[in-house]
């Protein structure tokens, strides 16, 4: 089931984000991801439009929008490759006319995932916080 985020989801979202981040972004130091937990809770969740995927009453994935930018899409590792990420993308495609996402150039799996969802490459840039290269991708949706 996919539903809108509520404040009571915070702890599960942060754990989902952290567990998936250290695997998906193994090229970056794990302590960087640990240091970002409070930023997720206090800075990003309050300003984003977030949807969660639930299985048996537990949050197993989420997607957060900052305007037309997918600021986060993470699924707990045991639930990955089961269609949850794709379902979350399909959900936000119904609420925006166009969507953008930035993925690390070193995260080939994320690039492939978004390509499979219909996103195409726009440009590269350097992320100021990490110094890593980001690829910006975009999709036009069928949103009215």
């Amino acid at each position: 089931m996919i539903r809108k985020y509520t404040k009571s989801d915070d702890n599960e979202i942060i754990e989902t984000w952290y567990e998936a981040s250290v695997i998906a972004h193994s090229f970056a130091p794990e302590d960087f991801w640990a240091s970002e937990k409070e930023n997720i809770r206090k800075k990003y969740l309050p300003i984003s439009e977030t949807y969660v995927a639930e299985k048996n009453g537990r949050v197993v994935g989420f997607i957060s929008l900052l305007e037309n930018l997918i600021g986060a899409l993470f699924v707990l590792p045991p639930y990955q490759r089961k269609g949850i990420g794709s379902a979350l993308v399909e959900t936000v495609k119904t609420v925006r006319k166009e969507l953008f996402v930035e993925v690390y150039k070193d995260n080939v799996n994320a690039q492939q995932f978004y390509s499979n969802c219909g996103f195409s490459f726009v440009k590269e840039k350097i992320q100021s916080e990490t110094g890593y290269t980001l690829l910006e991708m975009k999709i036009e949706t069928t949103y009215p």
Side-chain angles (χ1 to χ4, degrees), residues 116-144:
N116 290 344
C117 288
F119 285 77
S120 56
F121 173 79
V122 176
K123 65 182 177 183
E124 281 188 21
K125 70 178 186 179
I126 302 297
Q127 185 181 40
S128 60
E129 298 87 355
T130 64
Y132 291 105
T133 302
L134 291 172
L135 304 179
E136 182 179 301
M137 301 175 82
K138 177 183 176 181
I139 189 171
E140 299 285 333
T141 71
T142 56
Y143 177 73

Side-chain angles (χ1 to χ4, degrees), residues 9-121:
D9 298 321
D10 281 6
N11 289 338
E12 289 180 296
I13 284 176
I14 290 164
E15 280 313 303
T16 298
W17 169 83
Y18 179 74
E19 287 183 37
S21 287
V22 295
I23 294 170
H25 308 122
S26 60
F27 50 86
E30 189 173 333
D31 60 342
F32 170 75
W33 304 115
S35 71
E36 286 294 300
K37 285 183 177 182
E38 284 309 301
N39 278 337
I40 301 298
R41 180 186 313 276
K42 294 179 180 174
K43 183 176 177 184
Y44 295 110
L45 280 175
I47 63 168
S48 67
E49 180 179 346
T50 299
Y51 298 85
V52 298
E54 262 188 346
K55 291 277 186 191
N56 301 318
R58 179 181 184 199
V59 172
V60 297
F62 72 97
I63 190 166
S64 294
L65 297 174
L66 299 165
E67 301 294 329
N68 290 355
L69 176 69
I70 296 174
L73 169 58
F74 292 95
V75 176
L76 280 172
Y79 294 89
Q80 291 176 1
R81 302 188 187 281
K82 297 183 186 315
I84 294 169
S86 298
L88 287 163
V89 169
E90 288 302 313
T91 297
V92 297
K93 284 167 68 176
T94 67
V95 297
R96 296 292 191 279
K97 185 164 179 62
E98 64 182 4
L99 291 166
F100 294 88
V101 67
E102 295 174 338
V103 298
Y104 289 105
K105 188 173 186 177
D106 292 335
N107 189 345
V108 177
N109 290 335
Q111 293 171 48
Q112 187 62 52
F113 169 80
Y114 285 109
S115 289
N116 290 344
C117 288
F119 285 77
S120 56
F121 173 79

